[in-house]
Amino acid sequence: PSLFHLRLLQKLSIISCDLKWNLEMLAGLPSLKELSYFHNRSSTGGNVNSLRVLKDTLENEKVAIEDCPNVQGNFMELADFPRLK
């Protein structure tokens, strides 16, 4: 979707939405500082490791992914992010 080409977007919340996308699409949002992704049980998914493209912009405690069974990976893959606790 065109939403993922907004290069200056800093905050993205997707809650209970049937939008078809995956975490890899976040590469089109290089300024993203906050990500909230809740209750999305559709085929949307991806791997947590895809968040690495946002390593230098995601801020402390500003990543939340809950009740999204098609998202895979381990948050420990993000342990070296300089701005995440």
Side-chain angles (χ1 to χ4, degrees):
S2 299
L3 171 66
F4 297 99
H5 297 291
L6 299 172
R7 301 189 61 74
L8 299 178
L9 186 70
Q10 294 185 1
K11 182 177 180 179
L12 177 63
S13 296
I14 299 177
I15 302 169
S16 298
C17 181
D18 196 26
L19 180 68
K20 299 224 184 280
W21 68 286
N22 60 50
L23 293 175
E24 288 80 15
M25 291 179 175
L26 295 175
L29 304 173
S31 300
L32 195 66
K33 293 181 179 182
E34 297 180 30
L35 173 65
S36 300
Y37 184 52
F38 300 112
H39 311 293
N40 291 288
R41 298 190 155 274
S42 67
S43 61
T44 302
N47 194 299
V48 171
N49 194 37
S50 301
L51 297 176
R52 296 197 71 74
V53 297
L54 302 170
K55 181 176 180 176
D56 295 322
T57 60
L58 287 175
E59 293 187 345
N60 294 342
E61 302 175 10
K62 299 295 183 179
V63 176
I65 299 176
E66 295 180 21
D67 195 23
C68 303
N70 294 317
V71 173
Q72 301 172 352
N74 185 329
F75 274 103
M76 287 308 296
E77 295 177 35
L78 310 179
D80 63 334
F81 276 42
R83 303 180 77 142
L84 287 179
K85 288 184 181 180

